[in-house]
Amino acid sequence: MSTKENSSEEIDLGQLFTLIGNGFHKLFQFIGSVFKSFFHLIILFLQFIRAHFLKFVIAIIIGIVAGSYWDYKSEKVYRSSMIVEPNFNSAQQLYNNVEFYDELAKQEEFEALAGALKIEVKYAKSIREVKIESFSDQAQKISQFSEFIQGLDSISQKLVDYEDYLENFNNINSKFHRIHIKSTNPRVAKKCRKQIVRSIEENEYFRLQKRINEQNITLSDSIIERQLLELDSLQRFYRKVKMIEASKDIGGTNINLAQSKTGELPEVALLKKVEELQEDKVELNNEKASTDNIINVISDFPNKGVLVNDWFTKKKVLLPLACLGLILIFLLLMELNRYLKQYQN
């Protein structure tokens, strides 16, 4: 009985290994057929390229010649950039204004563009594009996140982390923004700079925000100055008391200046408080300097723009690629038509 059972188990195991072997064999056959088909397609494509190689070369040469002539005859375009720092949440208005200028340039509404930028119509006709983009590196985003967190209450600070802040980060929230102007006149951007900034500074809402900010800074500065004077008077008082104590004999009248709850001497606590107020004053001065204008111009437009010489925008590069693509599509359609005729026969 046991002999029959062993024989049956050996047969079952043999069938299992046979099935596994057949499965691997079919898998390898399938992989081999895929590689074979892929290799076959490559060979067919290479044969197609070899058969029409001369046509491709002629198309590329025609494209290079025509593109070079087109580049030679085209007007030269110059690019100028200005970096600004908007204050009082004026970035959105700045973006709207720049997009308005760009739409006028694209629609060739040169008289309206000249009126909006306060320049002559002949200069407005030279403008091809007006763009704005934000830029901020990781350090700037971390700094902005720190400022954002400080403005929240303790409960909200626990609910917001840096990843959440980045997910909801809007480009308009960036600290710095770059304005580009492309024009056939290399000096027109400098003429537009004044009105681009003035269009924001003449806004009544932003002027009100700036005026209130100046009043708040003046008030905070006066409070700090008054506190520093009071601390100075208190320090002089403590010095007088120390001198009186030093002049008394031991066992005489003593004036006790109690220590603070942290165990610090009053003089030390006063010095620390003075240092804190001086740091606050430094921060206040920095804020006053950075918010002195509604739009801070970090880097102005140059007196003369830079010639746009981007390789991927040149016609002598784009036109050969276009010619090559067209001739390739045409030849493929011809091959498809020939195959359909043979298939029909």
Side-chain angles (χ1 to χ4, degrees), residues 10 25 38 90 117 126 149 180 188 194 205 212 215 220 238 242 246 252 258 262 267 282 334:
E10 289 177 358
H25 180 68
F38 182 70
S90 60
L117 291 173
S126 68
I149 285 294
H180 301 281
V188 74
K194 189 174 183 179
Y205 173 76
I212 292 174
Q215 293 173 357
S220 300
Y238 279 139
K242 287 293 185 182
T262 58
E267 296 91 330
V282 170
M334 293 290 292

Side-chain angles (χ1 to χ4, degrees), residues 75-108:
E75 287 184 304
K76 291 182 173 58
V77 178
Y78 300 87
R79 178 172 52 213
S80 302
S81 300
M82 177 174 68
I83 299 175
V84 297
E85 179 189 11
N87 291 318
F88 313 114
N89 298 320
S90 60
Q92 183 62 67
Q93 184 62 50
L94 180 64
Y95 270 71
N96 292 340
N97 290 1
V98 171
E99 289 174 3
F100 174 67
Y101 303 146
D102 188 56
E103 286 298 322
L104 291 178
K106 288 180 178 178
Q107 296 173 11
E108 298 185 354

